[in-house]
Amino acid sequence: MKRLLLQLLLGLPLLLGAMEYRGYSGCTELKNPVCRVVIAGALGCRVLEFSYKNENAVLVNPRHDGIHWESGPAPFEQSGARFDVGPELTAPKHDSVWLGTWSGRQLSPLAAEWESPPDPESPFRVTRKFELDPALPRLTITQTVVNQSSEALALQYWGRAWFRSGGTVKIPLPPRGLRRFPAGYVQYESEERPGVLNLTPEDPMIREVDGFLEIRPLPKFSKNTFEAGKPFAIYELPYGQTLVVRFPIDPERASADIAGGNFCICFNRWFCEMEALGPRELVAPGESFRYTESWQLYDTSQFNLKEGEEHE
């Protein structure tokens, strides 16, 4: 108690909630009466738990527990709810941001902030702020990227969160006259023809239903890109809960994604990756950009599609 009072008097960051979790020390825990969030700094600052009624929506591979990256090629694709800086194919190399161990501080029992490791070789530095609603299972993530290179960069926000597989994804479509993609989506045919993007795919597991694209397990190819017509995507998890990912969209701004979409999924038998894709950001040296997405969990039995639009 004395240490806490001293921190408050000196204006120092609160260290409440620092804990060990899945082999990692210094994790931050955010908690309200219905939801628990645990964030680890290792392997790029990931959310390892986002649970409602004791069900963790995030997919974490136990083989990765306690593992840190120091240098060199990535030993594996890290699991958990990850976040990145794109575009996927043209962003400058940033291993220390994507794989390094971040430093975190607890701002309150419901908020924490993490910073990427100092690295003069990295083209940018990144800060992430996580905020949990006081009463609801709703987590808000705000990422700020500062260009610390000597040249202008074209960047974007890239959410890369792994959630438990086996459910159904629903993406709201734009009105038919405003659609970018003839089929409502494009598909990366990566398994058979690496690098080939099918602009007019036909997949029996992806169909249009009442203005939404419905993606059931498992699509023909795991990676598919969409242009969401409204700022949210829905994932009906396989255990009776529904996740809504909310993210800002602006049809007037250029897309940074090579396929031209604002949302992407990678859906296989291990995980469903939900990827909010921010617009193209032209960032001068020393300048920054910020992007916010949020996740909210519901009981599927009490959920209706209008809930997705509730917090637009």
Side-chain angles (χ1 to χ4, degrees), residues 150-177:
S150 60
E151 59 183 9
L153 299 173
L155 305 172
Q156 74 170 151
Y157 175 83
W158 184 12
R160 302 181 67 178
W162 285 9
F163 296 101
R164 289 161 61 179
S165 190
T168 298
V169 178
K170 295 181 179 180
I171 309 287
L173 288 165
R176 191 166 295 277

Side-chain angles (χ1 to χ4, degrees), residues 16 35 38 66 80 106 109 113 130 146 160 169 189 212 219 224 231 233 235 246 258 283 300:
L16 296 171
C35 182
V38 181
Q106 192 106 19
E113 187 172 75
F130 300 87
V146 179
R160 302 181 67 178
V169 178
E189 297 188 350
F212 285 77
N224 297 271
Y235 182 38
R246 296 186 177 93
I258 196 166
V283 190
T300 300

Side-chain angles (χ1 to χ4, degrees), residues 165-166 203 205 216-220 267-269 271:
S165 190
D203 191 324
M205 305 310 289
R216 294 172 292 156
L218 287 170
K220 189 187 302 182
F267 201 172
N268 56 43
R269 63 190 178 96
F271 59 82

Side-chain angles (χ1 to χ4, degrees), residues 2-177:
K2 289 182 179 179
R3 181 176 179 180
L4 174 59
L5 290 173
L6 181 61
Q7 285 179 270
L8 292 172
L9 288 171
L10 295 178
L12 298 175
L14 294 173
L15 299 177
L16 296 171
M19 59 180 294
E20 184 168 331
Y21 186 82
R22 302 191 75 111
Y24 294 111
S25 60
C27 297
T28 50
E29 179 188 53
L30 314 180
K31 198 171 184 180
N32 67 26
V34 298
C35 182
R36 184 188 191 215
V37 177
V38 181
I39 305 147
L43 298 178
C45 182
R46 300 164 295 145
V47 174
L48 299 184
E49 181 174 332
F50 178 48
S51 61
Y52 172 50
K53 295 184 176 179
N54 298 315
E55 287 281 2
N56 186 9
V58 176
L59 189 284
V60 181
N61 187 338
R63 294 183 179 180
H64 301 170
D65 289 357
I67 294 178
H68 292 260
W69 173 88
E70 298 296 337
S71 62
F76 50 76
E77 182 84 352
Q78 69 268 45
S79 62
R82 307 96 50 83
F83 310 88
D84 202 356
V85 180
E88 179 179 5
L89 298 180
T90 58
K93 187 177 179 182
H94 52 284
D95 287 350
S96 62
V97 173
W98 174 238
L99 295 167
T101 298
W102 292 40
S103 57
R105 58 176 185 155
Q106 192 106 19
L107 304 176
S108 77
L110 295 172
E113 187 172 75
W114 289 79
E115 296 181 354
S116 59
D119 180 5
E121 299 301 316
S122 176
F124 41 76
R125 66 180 186 274
V126 182
T127 301
R128 288 190 197 119
K129 187 175 183 180
F130 300 87
E131 299 173 280
L132 181 63
D133 186 272
L136 300 173
R138 183 170 67 220
L139 179 67
T140 300
I141 305 102
T142 300
Q143 175 165 283
T144 302
V145 180
V146 179
N147 179 359
Q148 63 178 17
S149 75
S150 60
E151 59 183 9
L153 299 173
L155 305 172
Q156 74 170 151
Y157 175 83
W158 184 12
R160 302 181 67 178
W162 285 9
F163 296 101
R164 289 161 61 179
S165 190
T168 298
V169 178
K170 295 181 179 180
I171 309 287
L173 288 165
R176 191 166 295 277

Side-chain angles (χ1 to χ4, degrees), residues 206-224:
I206 303 178
R207 60 177 185 168
E208 183 174 343
V209 181
D210 297 329
F212 285 77
L213 271 183
E214 185 177 277
I215 305 95
R216 294 172 292 156
L218 287 170
K220 189 187 302 182
F221 296 98
S222 66
K223 186 170 182 178
N224 297 271

